[in-house]
């Protein structure tokens, strides 16, 4: 299952650089993950300062 970024996201952008497939991009009020591209590697969750990305 793809990772999803919660509303806790601070818009820091750290996860975008860590994603190996470029599935993360800036959204309107937080960063978002393209579920069709996410490989469930967990790199975004590891780098996020607030633990916003998680599996649904
Ligand atoms: Fe990218 Fe991995 Fe996070 Fe999916 S789990 S969005 S592939 S860094
Ligand atoms: Fe948001 Fe966490 Fe990604 Fe920063 S690393 S943009 S707080 S989800």
């Amino acid at each position: 299952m793809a990772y999803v970024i919660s509303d806790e996201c601070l818009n820091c952008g750290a996860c975008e650089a860590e994603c190996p497939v470029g599935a993360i991009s800036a959204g309107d009020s937080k960063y978002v993950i393209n579920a069709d591209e996410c490989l469930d590697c967990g790199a975004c969750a590891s780098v996020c300062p607030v633990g916003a990305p998680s599996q649904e």
Side-chain angles (χ1 to χ4, degrees):
M1 280 208 280
Y3 274 67
V4 175
I5 295 175
S6 76
D7 291 343
E8 293 173 70
C9 175
L10 304 174
N11 278 312
C12 74
C15 55
E16 181 178 19
E18 294 298 317
C19 182
V21 293
I24 305 174
S25 59
D28 290 336
S29 58
K30 63 178 182 177
Y31 274 66
V32 293
I33 293 171
N34 182 332
D36 292 331
E37 296 176 349
C38 178
L39 304 176
D40 302 343
C41 72
C44 51
S46 297
V47 73
C48 180
V50 294
S54 65
Q55 283 178 305
E56 281 188 313

